[in-house]
């Protein structure tokens, strides 16, 4: 039997007991941090979902230019309507298919054929939101514009505005969200497809926020990312 080396009345617990106590404290801390992160993430998502517009806005006045990020069926139509109503001097459609031409668009919107020929520019190089922002920046700088109406789907607007604001800090951006019929008529928490769409977009938005805080200045990364599709 090994002798007991502890002094009589020594209040310090044995090493094994201290290790168990420390393990319980660490486990509790990990659980608390995990729950805190979960609540923060859930709260952030609810904020994001509630901030997605469910009604389209009215544009008062005009901007220098209009940009539409392709992806939804009615985005281009709404953007061309804004141009026709005098809300901008020129329109950039960014992210169109390589084979798309203004002539093809004119067949779909014959009432705006003259505008499509004179005042619409097509960007075929961008394949994601980051590429859209990079190409929009080049277009805005080439045109010398100081204000821009941004047209994209309502759920896509927060990420689009974040990417564009980073690359065009001196340009006034005006959001024109395109709202789908489901967003107009159904609360997101009652529709599984809408909830999934918003969760996916929220995760992309948060990843974009993290990336923008870590990446170099846009001038060093715009061309590579616009061409390779990195960034979502």
């Amino acid at each position: 039997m090994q002798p007991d080396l502890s002094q009589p009345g020594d209040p310090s617990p044995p090493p094994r007991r201290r290790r168990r106590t420390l393990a319980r404290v660490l486990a509790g801390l990990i659980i608390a941090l995990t729950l805190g992160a979960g609540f923060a993430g859930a709260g952030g998502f609810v904020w994001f979902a509630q901030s997605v517009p469910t009604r389209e806005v009215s544009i008062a006045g005009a901007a220098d230019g209009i940009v539409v990020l392709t992806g939804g069926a009615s985005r281009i139509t709404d953007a061309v309507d804004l141009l026709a109503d005098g809300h901008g001097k020129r329109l950039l459609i960014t992210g169109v298919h390589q084979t798309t031409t203004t002539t093809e668009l004119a067949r779909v919107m014959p009432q705006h054929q003259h505008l499509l020929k004179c005042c619409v520019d097509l960007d075929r190089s961008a394949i994601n939101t980051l590429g859209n922002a990079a190409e929009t920046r080049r277009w805005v700088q080439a045109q010398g514009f100081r204000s821009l109406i941004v047209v994209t789907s309502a759920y896509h607007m927060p990420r689009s505005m974040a990417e564009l604001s980073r690359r065009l800090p001196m340009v006034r951006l005006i959001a024109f969200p395109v709202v789908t019929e489901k967003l107009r008529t159904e609360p997101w928490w009652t529709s599984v497809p809408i909830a999934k769409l918003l969760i996916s977009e929220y995760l992309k938005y948060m990843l974009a926020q993290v990336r923008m805080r870590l990446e170099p200045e846009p001038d060093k990364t715009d061309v590579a990312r616009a061409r390779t599709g990195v960034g979502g």
Side-chain angles (χ1 to χ4, degrees):
M1 176 182 296
Q2 294 184 353
D4 185 1
L5 300 180
S6 61
Q7 297 296 324
D10 187 355
S12 59
R16 183 176 298 176
R17 187 182 302 171
R18 289 200 299 270
R19 287 195 294 270
R20 287 200 297 266
T21 301
L22 180 60
R24 285 196 293 268
V25 171
L26 289 176
L29 181 60
I30 291 171
I31 292 172
L33 290 174
T34 302
L35 289 174
F39 283 125
F45 168 70
V46 171
W47 162 82
F48 177 85
Q50 292 297 104
S51 68
V52 173
T54 57
R55 294 289 183 273
E56 289 185 356
V57 300
S58 297
I59 300 294
D64 292 334
I66 304 168
V67 60
V68 54
L69 285 66
T70 57
S74 64
R75 297 183 195 181
I76 295 177
T77 302
D78 286 357
V80 175
D81 285 342
L82 287 172
L83 182 66
D85 290 340
H87 291 293
K89 302 172 186 175
R90 292 194 70 83
L91 166 65
L92 172 66
I93 305 175
T94 172
V96 299
H97 192 270
Q98 292 289 337
T99 60
T100 301
T101 64
T102 54
T103 302
E104 290 175 342
L105 293 175
R107 294 195 191 101
V108 181
M109 295 174 281
Q111 72 277 23
H112 297 313
Q113 187 172 3
H114 65 291
L115 282 175
L116 290 164
K117 289 182 177 179
C118 77
C119 307
V120 174
D121 300 308
L122 302 182
D123 158 47
R124 300 180 180 86
S125 61
I127 58 174
N128 54 36
T129 305
L130 192 55
N132 294 145
E135 295 303 324
T136 300
R137 179 174 186 259
R138 280 188 271 274
W139 181 76
V140 166
Q141 290 178 337
Q143 299 293 334
F145 289 161
R146 305 298 294 175
S147 58
L148 190 67
I149 296 173
V150 181
V151 182
T152 190
S153 294
Y155 63 85
H156 187 227
M157 187 61 76
R159 186 157 58 103
S160 300
M161 292 294 281
E163 297 284 10
L164 288 167
S165 296
R166 176 170 170 78
R167 284 158 182 78
L168 297 167
M170 303 303 292
V171 174
R172 182 169 64 96
L173 301 177
I174 304 166
F176 186 86
V178 178
V179 182
T180 63
E181 187 62 29
K182 282 193 173 183
L183 278 176
R184 295 176 193 271
T185 58
E186 297 182 43
W188 64 265
W189 60 87
T190 65
S191 171
V192 173
I194 294 176
K196 286 182 177 180
L197 176 64
L198 292 180
I199 291 171
S200 174
E201 188 58 35
Y202 172 67
L203 293 175
K204 292 178 182 179
Y205 173 79
M206 293 304 297
L207 287 173
Q209 291 289 341
V210 172
R211 192 206 72 246
M212 285 188 283
R213 283 163 174 75
L214 298 177
E215 71 179 2
E217 290 301 312
D219 280 339
K220 299 178 182 179
T221 57
D222 275 355
V223 174
R225 290 185 182 276
R227 296 294 188 270
T228 61
V230 177

